[in-house]
Amino acid sequence: MVQPGQPRRGVSSSSVDVPLQELVSAVLGRSDAHSVPIGRSHVYELGEVDGVGLAVTDAIALPDGRVLLSAAAEDSPNAVDDGPVVATALALVDGERVVDVAPLPEVDGHVHKVEGLALRRVDDSGVRLLAVVDDDDPSAPSSTIDLRVEI
């Protein structure tokens, strides 16, 4: 489970390991949520862009045990209010170690905030992802983009 963090307030993005079977059982109401064991915690220092810290927006596990994170540098005073997004990135992590952080390109001069990731395929050339983009515009639906990542 991932906690996005609030870099502006000095809170790094982090996660804890939980066993999937017990988590699903609790979500479905078959067991008490308090019975889900909490495992190891991980803290992710992803850096900053133009003085705004990158915070995790989603995470997916890769077949080799590493994790791919999407992150946004959103200049907001808290985790609830939207603010201008100055950059987005993907980060590859192995345990607590950030292996690499790669910025996502702007499209037509606009930074698109990736808030969801789905793994489509993993092969020798890398990872294919479906990314959900939320531009924080309540009048516009979210869109999706296809990403290919060499890892």
Side-chain angles (χ1 to χ4, degrees):
M1 300 185 73
V2 176
Q3 196 285 38
Q6 295 180 31
R8 185 180 222 189
R9 301 175 110 185
V11 179
S12 298
S13 294
S14 59
S15 69
V16 293
D17 295 336
V18 294
L20 180 61
Q21 188 172 7
E22 286 90 338
L23 178 63
V24 170
S25 178
V27 168
L28 295 175
R30 297 180 183 151
S31 64
D32 182 32
H34 296 290
S35 69
V36 178
I38 304 297
R40 227 177 124 202
S41 64
H42 308 275
V43 176
Y44 308 110
E45 298 295 340
L46 303 177
E48 61 181 43
V49 178
D50 295 335
V52 180
L54 285 163
V56 173
T57 56
D58 201 8
I60 55 169
L62 299 175
D64 65 3
R66 296 181 296 175
V67 176
L68 194 60
L69 307 172
S70 58
E74 184 170 13
D75 195 6
S76 174
N78 56 57
V80 177
D81 296 322
D82 292 328
V85 179
V86 298
T88 56
L90 293 177
L92 181 64
V93 299
D94 189 356
E96 285 189 30
R97 186 172 67 91
V98 177
V99 177
D100 196 11
V101 177
L104 291 173
E106 293 182 12
V107 178
D108 296 326
H110 182 72
V111 175
H112 293 280
K113 184 168 69 169
V114 173
E115 290 200 4
L117 295 173
L119 190 60
R120 286 197 153 167
R121 184 176 69 234
V122 178
D123 57 32
D124 292 338
S125 67
V127 177
R128 300 288 301 215
L129 303 168
L130 177 68
V132 176
V133 175
D134 179 7
D135 287 328
D136 293 334
D137 179 353
S139 67
S142 295
S143 58
T144 60
I145 55 175
D146 289 306
L147 297 173
R148 184 178 61 82
V149 180
E150 295 176 6
I151 56 171

